[in-house]
Amino acid sequence: MVSRVMGEAVRLVRVAPDMERAANPRFAGATPAPLGFADGYPLLVCNQASLEDLNPRLPRPIPIERFRPNIVVSGLPAWAEDRIETSRWGRSLCSW
């Protein structure tokens, strides 16, 4: 039924209410960070330059929203976000 409405083959999935999933402590730190179904990490940082590097190699370009980022950075070279360890925003310091 869902595939017919969507016009393409899709699967409807859910996470059981009692399922627990935590972020990898290597990235999230010592404090447990529970995750939802679509999350891999507490924060998802995307770089506009990386998307601009990726899109010409795809059959159709995709928007940055497709990745559902919490933070979008610009002004960095493509794929530099893979090497960010610490970021300062306002008065807070974020490390990952």
Side-chain angles (χ1 to χ4, degrees):
M1 175 71 163
V2 175
S3 293
R4 188 174 33 180
V5 170
M6 297 299 293
E8 62 184 287
V10 297
R11 293 184 313 149
L12 186 60
V13 297
R14 74 175 187 93
V15 174
D18 60 340
M19 181 182 157
E20 292 184 21
R21 183 171 164 226
N24 185 327
R26 178 174 167 223
F27 302 107
T31 303
L35 301 172
F37 178 69
D39 303 315
Y41 301 96
L43 291 174
L44 175 57
V45 177
C46 289
N47 181 357
Q48 189 64 42
S50 299
L51 180 66
E52 291 167 4
D53 180 70
L54 172 67
N55 270 334
R57 294 183 272 142
L58 298 175
R60 289 185 312 248
I62 57 175
I64 197 82
E65 294 82 11
R66 180 82 175 268
F67 294 96
R68 299 181 62 207
N70 302 94
I71 300 166
V72 178
V73 296
S74 61
L76 297 174
W79 314 111
E81 68 276 19
D82 292 344
R83 294 177 300 281
I84 295 173
E85 292 183 17
T86 303
S87 177
R88 184 174 299 276
W89 306 16
R91 295 178 186 219
S92 63
L93 179 67
C94 302
S95 295
W96 56 80

